[in-house]
Coordinates of all heavy atoms in Angstrom, one line a residue:
G173 N -31.9 -25.5 76.6 CA -33.3 -25.1 76.0 C -33.1 -24.8 74.5 O -32.0 -24.5 74.1
G174 N -34.3 -24.8 73.9 CA -34.3 -24.2 72.5 C -33.5 -25.3 71.6 O -33.3 -26.4 71.9
V175 N -33.1 -24.7 70.4 CA -32.4 -25.5 69.4 C -31.2 -24.7 69.0 O -31.4 -23.6 68.5 CB -33.2 -25.9 68.2 CG1 -32.5 -26.6 67.2 CG2 -34.6 -26.7 68.6
T176 N -30.0 -25.4 69.1 CA -28.8 -24.8 68.6 C -28.5 -25.5 67.3 O -28.1 -26.6 67.1 CB -27.6 -24.9 69.6 OG1 -27.9 -24.4 70.8 CG2 -26.3 -24.4 69.0
I177 N -28.5 -24.7 66.2 CA -28.3 -25.2 64.8 C -26.8 -25.4 64.7 O -25.9 -24.5 64.8 CB -28.8 -24.3 63.7 CG1 -30.3 -24.0 63.9 CG2 -28.5 -24.9 62.4 CD1 -31.1 -25.3 63.9
L178 N -26.4 -26.7 64.4 CA -25.0 -27.1 64.0 C -24.7 -27.2 62.6 O -25.6 -27.5 61.8 CB -24.6 -28.4 64.7 CG -25.1 -28.4 66.3 CD1 -24.7 -29.9 66.8 CD2 -24.2 -27.4 67.0
D179 N -23.4 -26.9 62.3 CA -23.0 -27.0 60.8 C -23.0 -28.4 60.4 O -22.6 -29.3 61.2 CB -21.5 -26.4 60.7 CG -21.1 -26.4 59.3 OD1 -20.7 -27.5 58.9 OD2 -21.2 -25.3 58.6
A180 N -23.6 -28.7 59.3 CA -23.8 -30.0 58.8 C -22.5 -30.8 58.6 O -22.4 -32.0 58.6 CB -24.6 -30.0 57.5
E181 N -21.4 -30.0 58.3 CA -20.1 -30.6 58.0 C -19.2 -30.7 59.2 O -18.6 -31.8 59.5 CB -19.4 -29.8 56.9 CG -20.2 -29.9 55.6 CD -19.5 -29.2 54.4 OE1 -18.3 -28.8 54.7 OE2 -20.0 -29.1 53.4
D182 N -19.0 -29.6 59.9 CA -18.1 -29.6 61.0 C -18.7 -29.8 62.4 O -17.9 -29.9 63.5 CB -17.1 -28.5 61.1 CG -17.9 -27.1 61.3 OD1 -18.9 -27.1 61.9 OD2 -17.3 -26.1 60.8
G183 N -20.0 -29.8 62.5 CA -20.7 -30.0 63.8 C -20.6 -28.9 64.9 O -21.0 -29.1 65.9
T184 N -20.1 -27.8 64.4 CA -20.0 -26.7 65.3 C -21.2 -25.7 65.3 O -21.9 -25.7 64.2 CB -18.7 -25.8 65.1 OG1 -18.8 -25.2 63.8 CG2 -17.5 -26.6 65.1
P185 N -21.4 -25.1 66.4 CA -22.7 -24.1 66.3 C -22.5 -23.1 65.2 O -21.4 -22.4 65.1 CB -22.6 -23.5 67.7 CG -21.9 -24.4 68.6 CD -20.8 -25.0 67.6
T186 N -23.5 -22.9 64.4 CA -23.5 -22.0 63.3 C -23.8 -20.5 63.8 O -23.5 -19.6 63.0 CB -24.6 -22.3 62.3 OG1 -25.9 -22.2 63.0 CG2 -24.4 -23.7 61.8
G187 N -24.2 -20.4 65.0 CA -24.6 -19.1 65.5 C -26.1 -18.9 65.3 O -26.7 -17.9 65.9
V188 N -26.8 -19.7 64.7 CA -28.3 -19.6 64.6 C -29.0 -20.3 65.9 O -28.7 -21.5 66.0 CB -28.8 -20.3 63.3 CG1 -30.4 -20.3 63.3 CG2 -28.4 -19.5 62.1
L189 N -29.6 -19.6 66.7 CA -30.1 -20.1 68.0 C -31.5 -19.9 68.0 O -32.0 -18.8 68.0 CB -29.4 -19.3 69.1 CG -27.8 -19.3 69.0 CD1 -27.3 -18.3 70.0 CD2 -27.3 -20.6 69.4
L190 N -32.3 -21.0 68.2 CA -33.7 -20.9 68.1 C -34.3 -20.9 69.6 O -33.9 -21.7 70.5 CB -34.3 -22.2 67.3 CG -33.8 -22.3 66.0 CD1 -34.5 -23.6 65.3 CD2 -33.9 -21.1 65.1
E191 N -35.3 -20.1 69.9 CA -35.9 -20.0 71.1 C -34.9 -19.8 72.3 O -34.0 -19.0 72.2 CB -36.9 -21.2 71.3 CG -37.9 -21.4 70.1 CD -39.0 -20.3 70.2 OE1 -39.3 -19.6 71.2 OE2 -39.7 -20.3 69.2
A192 N -35.1 -20.6 73.3 CA -34.3 -20.4 74.5 C -32.8 -20.6 74.4 O -32.0 -20.3 75.2 CB -34.8 -21.4 75.6
A193 N -32.4 -21.2 73.2 CA -30.9 -21.4 73.0 C -30.2 -20.1 72.9 O -29.0 -20.0 73.0 CB -30.8 -22.2 71.6
G194 N -31.0 -19.1 72.6 CA -30.4 -17.7 72.5 C -30.2 -17.0 73.8 O -29.5 -15.9 73.9
I195 N -30.8 -17.5 74.9 CA -30.8 -16.8 76.2 C -29.3 -16.6 76.7 O -29.1 -15.6 77.2 CB -31.8 -17.4 77.2 CG1 -33.2 -17.2 76.8 CG2 -31.5 -17.0 78.5 CD1 -34.2 -17.8 77.6
P196 N -28.5 -17.7 76.6 CA -27.1 -17.4 77.1 C -26.4 -16.3 76.5 O -25.5 -15.6 77.0 CB -26.5 -18.7 76.8 CG -27.5 -19.8 76.8 CD -28.7 -19.1 76.2
V197 N -26.7 -16.0 75.2 CA -26.1 -14.8 74.5 C -26.6 -13.6 75.1 O -25.8 -12.6 75.4 CB -26.3 -15.0 73.0 CG1 -25.7 -13.8 72.4 CG2 -25.7 -16.2 72.4
Q198 N -27.9 -13.5 75.4 CA -28.5 -12.3 76.0 C -27.9 -12.1 77.4 O -27.5 -11.0 77.8 CB -29.9 -12.4 76.1 CG -30.6 -11.2 76.7 CD -30.5 -9.9 75.9 OE1 -30.6 -10.0 74.7 NE2 -30.3 -8.8 76.6
E199 N -27.7 -13.2 78.2 CA -27.2 -13.1 79.4 C -25.7 -12.7 79.4 O -25.2 -11.8 80.2 CB -27.2 -14.5 80.1 CG -28.7 -14.9 80.5 CD -28.8 -16.2 81.0 OE1 -27.9 -17.1 80.7 OE2 -29.8 -16.6 81.6
A200 N -24.9 -13.1 78.4 CA -23.5 -12.7 78.3 C -23.5 -11.1 78.0 O -22.6 -10.4 78.5 CB -22.9 -13.3 77.1
Y201 N -24.4 -10.6 77.1 CA -24.5 -9.2 76.9 C -24.8 -8.4 78.2 O -24.1 -7.4 78.5 CB -25.5 -8.9 75.8 CG -25.9 -7.4 75.7 CD1 -24.9 -6.4 75.3 CD2 -27.1 -7.0 76.1 CE1 -25.2 -5.1 75.1 CE2 -27.4 -5.6 76.0 CZ -26.5 -4.7 75.5 OH -26.8 -3.3 75.5
D202 N -25.8 -9.0 79.0 CA -26.1 -8.3 80.2 C -25.0 -8.3 81.2 O -24.8 -7.3 81.9 CB -27.3 -9.0 80.9 CG -28.6 -8.8 80.1 OD1 -28.7 -7.7 79.3 OD2 -29.5 -9.6 80.2
R203 N -24.1 -9.3 81.2 CA -23.0 -9.3 82.0 C -21.9 -8.3 81.7 O -21.2 -7.8 82.5 CB -22.3 -10.7 82.0 CG -23.1 -11.8 82.8 CD -22.1 -12.9 83.1 NE -21.7 -13.6 81.8 CZ -22.4 -14.5 81.2 NH1 -23.6 -15.0 81.6 NH2 -21.9 -15.1 80.1
S204 N -21.9 -7.8 80.4 CA -21.0 -6.9 79.9 C -21.4 -5.5 80.3 O -20.7 -4.5 80.2 CB -20.9 -7.0 78.4 OG -22.0 -6.4 77.8
G205 N -22.6 -5.3 80.8 CA -23.1 -4.1 81.2 C -24.5 -3.8 81.0 O -25.3 -3.2 81.7
G206 N -25.0 -4.3 79.7 CA -26.3 -4.1 79.3 C -26.7 -2.6 79.3 O -25.9 -1.7 79.0
L207 N -28.0 -2.4 79.6 CA -28.5 -1.0 79.7 C -28.6 -0.5 81.1 O -28.9 -1.3 82.1 CB -29.9 -0.9 79.1 CG -30.1 -1.3 77.5 CD1 -31.5 -1.0 77.1 CD2 -29.1 -0.5 76.6
S208 N -28.3 0.8 81.3 CA -28.4 1.4 82.6 C -29.9 1.6 82.9 O -30.8 1.5 82.0 CB -27.7 2.7 82.6 OG -28.3 3.7 81.8
A209 N -30.2 2.0 84.1 CA -31.6 2.3 84.6 C -32.0 3.4 83.7 O -33.2 3.5 83.3 CB -31.6 2.5 86.0
A210 N -31.2 4.4 83.5 CA -31.6 5.7 82.7 C -31.9 5.3 81.3 O -32.9 5.8 80.7 CB -30.5 6.7 82.8
Q211 N -31.2 4.3 80.7 CA -31.5 3.9 79.3 C -32.8 3.1 79.3 O -33.5 3.2 78.3 CB -30.3 3.0 78.8 CG -29.0 3.9 78.6 CD -27.9 3.0 78.2 OE1 -27.6 2.0 78.8 NE2 -27.1 3.5 77.1
H212 N -33.0 2.3 80.3 CA -34.3 1.5 80.3 C -35.4 2.5 80.4 O -36.5 2.3 79.7 CB -34.4 0.6 81.5 CG -33.7 -0.7 81.3 ND1 -34.1 -1.7 80.4 CD2 -32.6 -1.3 81.8 CE1 -33.3 -2.8 80.4 NE2 -32.3 -2.5 81.3
R213 N -35.3 3.6 81.2 CA -36.3 4.6 81.2 C -36.6 5.3 79.9 O -37.6 5.5 79.5 CB -36.0 5.6 82.4 CG -37.1 6.7 82.5 CD -36.6 7.7 83.5 NE -37.5 8.9 83.4 CZ -38.2 9.4 84.4 NH1 -38.2 8.8 85.6 NH2 -38.9 10.5 84.3
A214 N -35.4 5.6 79.3 CA -35.5 6.3 78.1 C -36.1 5.4 77.0 O -36.9 5.8 76.1 CB -34.0 6.7 77.5
A215 N -35.8 4.1 77.0 CA -36.4 3.1 76.1 C -37.9 3.0 76.3 O -38.7 3.1 75.3 CB -35.7 1.8 76.2
S216 N -38.5 3.0 77.5 CA -39.8 3.0 77.7 C -40.5 4.3 77.3 O -41.5 4.3 76.6 CB -40.1 2.7 79.2 OG -40.1 1.2 79.4
A217 N -39.9 5.4 77.6 CA -40.5 6.7 77.3 C -40.5 6.8 75.7 O -41.5 7.3 75.2 CB -39.6 7.8 77.9
H218 N -39.5 6.4 75.1 CA -39.5 6.5 73.6 C -40.6 5.5 73.0 O -41.2 5.9 72.1 CB -38.2 6.1 73.1 CG -38.0 6.5 71.7 ND1 -38.0 7.8 71.1 CD2 -37.6 5.7 70.5 CE1 -37.9 7.8 69.8 NE2 -37.6 6.5 69.5
G219 N -40.7 4.4 73.5 CA -41.7 3.4 73.1 C -43.1 3.9 73.2 O -43.9 3.9 72.3
V220 N -43.4 4.6 74.4 CA -44.6 5.1 74.6 C -44.9 6.3 73.7 O -45.9 6.5 73.1 CB -44.8 5.6 76.0 CG1 -46.1 6.4 76.2 CG2 -44.8 4.4 77.1
H221 N -43.9 7.2 73.5 CA -44.0 8.3 72.6 C -44.3 7.9 71.1 O -45.2 8.4 70.4 CB -42.7 9.2 72.5 CG -42.7 10.2 71.5 ND1 -43.5 11.4 71.6 CD2 -42.1 10.3 70.4 CE1 -43.3 12.1 70.6 NE2 -42.4 11.5 69.7
L222 N -43.6 6.8 70.6 CA -43.9 6.3 69.4 C -45.3 5.8 69.3 O -46.0 6.0 68.3 CB -42.9 5.2 69.0 CG -41.4 5.6 68.8 CD1 -40.5 4.3 68.6 CD2 -41.3 6.5 67.5
A223 N -45.8 5.0 70.3 CA -47.1 4.6 70.3 C -48.1 5.8 70.3 O -49.1 5.7 69.5 CB -47.4 3.7 71.5
N224 N -47.9 6.8 71.1 CA -48.7 7.9 71.0 C -48.8 8.6 69.6 O -49.9 9.1 69.2 CB -48.2 9.1 71.9 CG -48.4 8.8 73.5 OD1 -47.6 9.3 74.2 ND2 -49.2 7.9 73.8

Side-chain angles (χ1 to χ4, degrees):
V175 178
T176 302
I177 302 297
L178 305 179
D179 185 277
E181 296 183 5
D182 63 25
T184 62
T186 61
V188 175
L189 306 167
L190 307 184
E191 303 290 343
I195 288 179
V197 176
Q198 181 64 42
E199 292 172 339
Y201 168 67
D202 291 338
R203 287 195 298 272
S204 76
L207 297 185
S208 67
Q211 287 174 315
H212 279 294
R213 178 183 168 123
S216 274
H218 190 60
V220 173
H221 173 71
L222 291 171
N224 290 159

